[in-house]
Amino acid sequence: MTTTDTIKVSGNAKINLYLDVVGKRADGYHNIETIFHSVALNDELILAKRAKKGISVNCTHPDVPTDKQNLVYKAAQALYETVGGFGGIDIHINKRIPVAAGLAGGSTNAAATLIGVNELFDLGLPDKVLSQIGGQLGADIPFCLHGGAAFGTGIGDVLETLRPLQDISVILINSGIQIQTKSVFDKLHIPLTRNENKGIIVKSYFETGDITGIAENLFNLLEIPVFKKNTNLSKLKNEVSKQEGCLGVLMSGSGATLFALMENDSAAQQCMNYFKNRVSFCFNTQTSCIGVFIDD
Ligand code: ATP
């Protein structure tokens, strides 16, 4: 039982090591096949009970809405309605994950809110219910709650757990372009034929932890529309791929963050030194087996 009035909860960003679009659905969403992996880059949320009813959100990043559009607000509101009220709450987001960058920043904030509010107010909702509520708010939220590695189908919300990659060095590179996911899917031409086995092959490398096999088969169909519009991004990808110790590089989600899987930490550090003054965000991190965690 929680007896404090404040809780700190952090949510890790995700990358997609594989992303293919299977088809468009009648409701306008797309069915996808994807492999998610958590990385050790996180936003920290401070949740504080307050006497006055209602939900307030503030964030250190100026581009993040703090009204009802914020996914954190939506997550807290959904929990409030599910349990029939829990008093008032102030939520502060310390944003470290680049915004609109394909790293699920908003989704992982929502996942952290679901877990944090459940704990702070001692609501006792099981993971399955949190996942259901999250899935109604955003396709990536069930994975962000879960963390580690998973094969996602449906709109990315139907998850099969995979064995996470242990502490693989990852460089995240974002050249500062913000991309709205919907605009990417709107421009996407789904190929008439697709290699149906490719996702299964990549998935199988997780069973043996074959990082080379994974790195050689990185794939994201969404690179096509994004690179068409942002030619510098494909040049940047090409340049990253030539760095010493780079096992593979890919755009994450709907972009525009590129991630590079690196042979070891010293190669990662060298790669970071090469790019850090040329892009707006360059971060040396590792794969993580955790989605959300409550800070002491
Ligand atoms: P997605 O793939 O889910 O579209 P993303 O990972 O590319 O997202 P986010 O950082 O989640 O990017 O931001 C997408 C948009 O969501 C932003 O432009 C922002 O207006 C809105 N948003 C709502 N809540 C949040 C939040 N807590 N953090 C960041 N962005 C948020």
Side-chain angles (χ1 to χ4, degrees), residues 32-64:
I32 62 171
E33 270 184 13
T34 191
I35 294 176
F36 294 108
H37 210 301
S38 299
V39 287
L41 164 66
N42 44 69
D43 290 342
E44 180 190 66
L45 272 64
I46 301 168
L47 314 183
K49 288 180 187 171
R50 65 172 196 194
K52 204 173 142 206
K53 278 195 174 171
I55 300 159
S56 84
V57 178
N58 68 73
C59 181
T60 49
H61 197 298
D63 296 345
V64 174

Side-chain angles (χ1 to χ4, degrees), residues 14 43 59 63-65 69-72 93 95 97-107 109-110 140 178-182 254-255:
K14 61 81 185 158
D43 290 342
C59 181
D63 296 345
V64 174
Q69 284 180 59
N70 196 302
L71 275 173
V72 158
I93 308 167
K95 181 73 49 194
I97 303 170
V99 175
L103 297 172
S107 300
N109 291 171
D140 290 347
Q178 289 195 357
I179 295 184
Q180 297 302 329
T181 305
K182 187 176 177 312
S254 54

